[in-house]
Every structure is written in structure tokens, then in C-alpha cells.
Amino acid sequence: TAQLIGGMNPGIVALSVETASERLMNSIGGKAKRSHVETAVKNLESAGVERGNIYAYIMIGLDEENLDDIILTIDYLKSLEVRILINEFSPVPTTQDYESKRQFLSDPLLTNNSVYTSLFKYDFETVQSIKNMVKRANRENYEKHKRKS
């Protein structure tokens, strides 16, 4: 599959990592274990995708997560030298997460992912701090790739 993707010269390939925390992965039924992520990155690079063009999405704002899970995930992906992108969790109607908070979600805008995490999980400053950690990791990895070129 990586050879096929690399042969298509996609420019950017994004992986849905969500978390590197085994504890959280077990809790949410995570689909991408660390070994899978490492294999995917290695195979994509072997197929000609530059490391700087491999992105990884992480999820923040899950009920089961804590800041240690997020920091662990950021540090892990930074060590793989991939670009980190944040997805802020928001519940989807009819799911268990949505139903458990339905009483607080009378305004549909409260389920917007840019609002939900700051209202129901972390305060605004914490969310900004997480985003700044990701920006710093991405900047450091960008500089590393630039020096290698």
C-alpha cells in the first residue's frame, strides 16, 4: 500500500494516530498502535514520501484522556519526525458520547469541535498550550528536515 501511495506522488500523507497512549488506546478502542504507526512511517518513507510530508492527526478532548496522554503523543510523534495535526473532539449526535452530554448540548454550536474541548474538557488556556506544544514540535522537526536537505 505504501508503494502505491508513494507511486502516486501524493505530496502529503496523513495518518490518523489519535493517541500514542496505550492506556487511552485501550479505553477508546484505538485503531493505530505505535508499531503500526512506525511501520507506516517507515514504509511511506521507503516508498518515496519525504518524512516532512507525513502528517499525523491526534485527538484531544476525549473524556478518557488526560494531559499526560496528549504530551506523550506529541513527544512520540515528534520523535518520529512527522508533522502533527490536532483534531479537537466533539460528540456526534446519536453516539454514546453525545447522549451522555445531551442536556448540555441544547445549542448545536456547543458540539463544534473548536468550542467543545474548551467548554467540556480543558480550559481555553490549556487548549492553547497544547496547540503551542504542537507548533513547537512541528517547527523543530521542520528545522531538522531543512538541515538534512
Side-chain angles (χ1 to χ4, degrees):
T1 307
Q3 291 296 329
L4 177 63
I5 292 170
M8 294 169 51
N9 194 19
I12 293 169
V13 177
L15 306 172
S16 178
V17 174
E18 295 178 0
T19 185
S21 163
E22 292 292 329
R23 181 198 64 76
L24 183 57
M25 210 176 297
N26 291 334
S27 174
I28 64 171
K31 56 189 172 210
K33 303 224 178 285
R34 285 186 190 197
S35 60
H36 299 147
V37 174
E38 292 160 17
T39 300
V41 169
K42 185 179 113 195
N43 290 347
L44 286 166
E45 194 171 40
S46 294
V49 179
E50 293 180 21
R51 185 70 64 112
N53 290 336
I54 301 172
Y55 290 33
Y57 282 99
I58 66 172
M59 184 71 74
I60 68 168
L62 297 165
D63 284 340
E64 301 88 348
E65 85 183 6
N66 59 49
L67 287 174
D68 289 338
D69 295 321
I70 296 170
I71 293 167
L72 173 84
T73 303
I74 293 169
D75 289 345
Y76 170 69
L77 292 172
K78 180 183 174 193
S79 76
L80 293 180
E81 298 180 21
V82 298
R83 183 176 172 100
I84 305 164
L85 302 171
I86 296 174
N87 273 340
E88 293 182 55
F89 174 78
S90 65
V92 176
T94 73
T95 63
Q96 186 177 356
D97 289 319
Y98 181 87
E99 294 303 324
S100 71
K101 292 191 175 56
R102 181 182 211 119
Q103 66 198 33
F104 306 109
L105 301 173
S106 57
D107 181 345
L109 292 177
L110 293 177
T111 63
N112 182 292
N113 65 349
S114 61
V115 174
Y116 183 87
T117 300
S118 293
L119 287 176
F120 293 102
K121 183 64 179 180
Y122 304 112
D123 58 38
F124 178 78
E125 290 77 19
T126 303
V127 172
Q128 290 308 306
S129 175
I130 293 165
K131 290 178 180 181
N132 288 335
M133 278 187 265
V134 167
K135 286 179 187 175
R136 203 168 25 257
N138 286 338
R139 188 173 38 252
E140 290 172 15
N141 278 340
Y142 172 78
E143 292 299 323
K144 229 185 250 187
H145 294 291
K146 200 167 136 184
R147 282 191 301 271
K148 288 180 183 177
S149 302

